[in-house]
Amino acid sequence: MGKIVKNKIKLEFLSRPENVALSRVVVASLASQMELTLNDLEEIKVATSEAVSNAIIHGYQNDPDRIVQVTGVLDEDTLVLEIIDEGIGIPDINKALQPAFSSDPERMGLGFVFMQSFMDEVNVESQVAAGTKVRLLKKMGRRTKAQAVS
């Protein structure tokens, strides 16, 4: 028998920078239904911001009229978020996941690093010219890598 879904969301918005904050608020509202610390909640918001920003900046190359999709599923002890774009895709996911790598020289290339340190799991699927799906998973009551170090 599978886990019982407590709540779920599906949000679509234009690929505009001001919608990064919108995604943070919606995801935070969903995540706050779990038993989380304020630090956990902040980390989920940062990971969401990074994934949505990547979709806008890298996936859509700042084209403000494309669609970013954010879905969230909350069960008894897990939050699963998916951030999906239909942009240019990532030619080499392993390279993109490396610290300090960025396709934009103006960027620091730490988005995936933050996502990986703040979430319990990060999975990236991408096809060139077809888009990218970033899946973020947070388990309730588990310490992230960042918390374990501090």
Side-chain angles (χ1 to χ4, degrees), residues 71-86:
T71 63
V73 177
L74 181 63
D75 65 30
E76 298 111 2
D77 65 353
T78 308
L79 172 67
V80 177
L81 302 170
E82 290 184 344
I83 295 84
I84 302 164
D85 69 67
E86 296 178 347

Side-chain angles (χ1 to χ4, degrees), residues 134-146:
V134 176
R135 185 174 178 270
L136 306 172
L137 184 139
K138 183 76 161 185
K139 291 194 176 283
M140 187 172 47
R142 285 234 179 125
R143 293 176 56 162
T144 62
K145 295 172 204 158

Side-chain angles (χ1 to χ4, degrees), residues 91-129:
D92 185 341
I93 293 173
N94 289 329
K95 189 174 183 181
L97 292 173
Q98 296 303 311
F101 174 80
S102 178
S103 61
D104 180 344
E106 299 291 315
R107 303 277 166 195
M108 292 174 54
L110 296 175
F112 283 125
V113 172
F114 287 138
M115 287 181 242
Q116 290 169 329
S117 67
F118 293 158
M119 303 300 284
D120 293 308
E121 291 179 28
V122 176
N123 298 303
V124 182
E125 298 173 20
S126 189
Q127 285 188 313
V128 173

Side-chain angles (χ1 to χ4, degrees), residues 39-58:
N39 189 57
D40 288 335
L41 194 56
E42 189 59 33
E43 289 178 348
I44 291 167
K45 288 165 48 179
V46 169
T48 300
S49 296
E50 293 295 336
V52 171
S53 294
N54 280 354
I56 294 169
I57 294 165
H58 301 290

